[in-house]
Amino acid sequence: MGINKAKKLTTIGYKAAALLTGVTILLTGCGSFKGFAVSEVKTEDGDIETVSDDALISVGFSQLGSESTWRSANTESVKEALSTNDGFFLIFDNARQKQEKQFKAVRSFISQRVDYIVICPVIQEGWEMVLTEARDAGIPVILLDRSISVNDDTLYTTFVGEDMYAEGASAGKWLEEYLEDKGMDGKDINIVVLEGTSGSSAQVGRTRGFGAIAARHMNWNMLASANGEFTQAKGKETMERLLHEFDDIDVIVCQNDDMAFGALEALDEAGIKTGEKGDKILISFDGTKKALELVKEGVINVDVECNPNSGELLAQLINDLEAGKKVDKTNYMEEKVFTKENVDEYIDERNY
Ligand code: GYE
């Protein structure tokens, strides 16, 4: 059965679902998602989408939230790569930063008997029980973007995402070289860190990676680390607080661009400049277009890329699994480090 037929079934399903609001029906009666089935799904915009057909691979996707520019790009990337035209039926759920909501979504995917479950885990810990349920149901789980901390790695099939530790270490190494170039490597350097969601692999990995480099330098003083929750608003609030607390900050590390934008608002209001025109070094992560423009302007000194475009690789991995191929357990995205020297060639192609 081809994709065209699947599309036809979508239309039939839409009408059926319009009549049966709030109900999910499986016409096969065998309890399997595969086969002729009509299922109602609400999209993010509140539209009703229904479909199912043998030709489509059904994927339940638990996205952790929509806190940042990066996150929106990541969601877009998955939706684009797992489209009906590509042979997928995607069920999207936004957990709005709540692990409990992710558990609920996963359980609902299990009861719908999807073919695959994809999770961007908001935090690292606490996944054993729900992943055991998925494993017992025979549904492969793919972790996307953030990783988890479990002893039993058979609880998930594969991980596709970013190497957060390497990102943190890249930021540290950049600072090391920069200070050396400026002849400041013997000077006391006071550092504050605006961290992302506590307990997320992004926060833990970047903190550890940067910390490993910092540990090599007795003169790097970690003044404070504060939670900015990966959002612009919280980044601003946290920076304001740190500025009240400390008047001798040399380096500000923001674990994502949105927090850096918020920090820049607070700094601007306090009349403080960063980068080339100021006396504070600003380090950020993600590499969004707006941030790359600020790197070009010399406001952000360095931006360590975190690549959100993992949708294509995710689709590839699912297709490989469908074909019975063995896939790698860990699949890292390619990432760069942006400074004024190299940023020009990347700004135009950025779509997030
Ligand atoms: O850096 C941040 C986001 O998990 C790598 O989450 C991701 C981080 C990203 O919201 O912007």
Side-chain angles (χ1 to χ4, degrees), residues 70 73 145 161-172 174 202 205-206 230 254-257 282-289 291-292 295 300-310 332-339 342-343 345-352:
W70 190 98
D145 162 33
E162 310 81 48
D163 187 343
M164 314 292 186
Y165 183 92
E167 290 174 0
S170 292
W174 175 86
R206 286 171 189 166
F230 281 134
C254 295
Q255 286 183 347
N256 84 343
D257 285 342
L282 182 56
I283 296 176
S284 187
F285 293 82
D286 279 359
T288 59
K289 194 180 185 93
L292 295 194
V295 170
I300 294 177
N301 294 75
V302 64
D303 205 304
V304 179
E305 184 177 33
C306 182
N307 187 346
N309 292 320
S310 43
Y332 284 134
M333 301 294 293
E334 221 186 279
E335 300 180 319
K336 299 185 184 62
V337 174
F338 300 113
T339 60
N342 69 353
V343 76
E345 55 176 308
Y346 301 103
I347 290 185
D348 289 343
E349 71 185 31
R350 275 289 115 141
N351 56 356
Y352 55 91

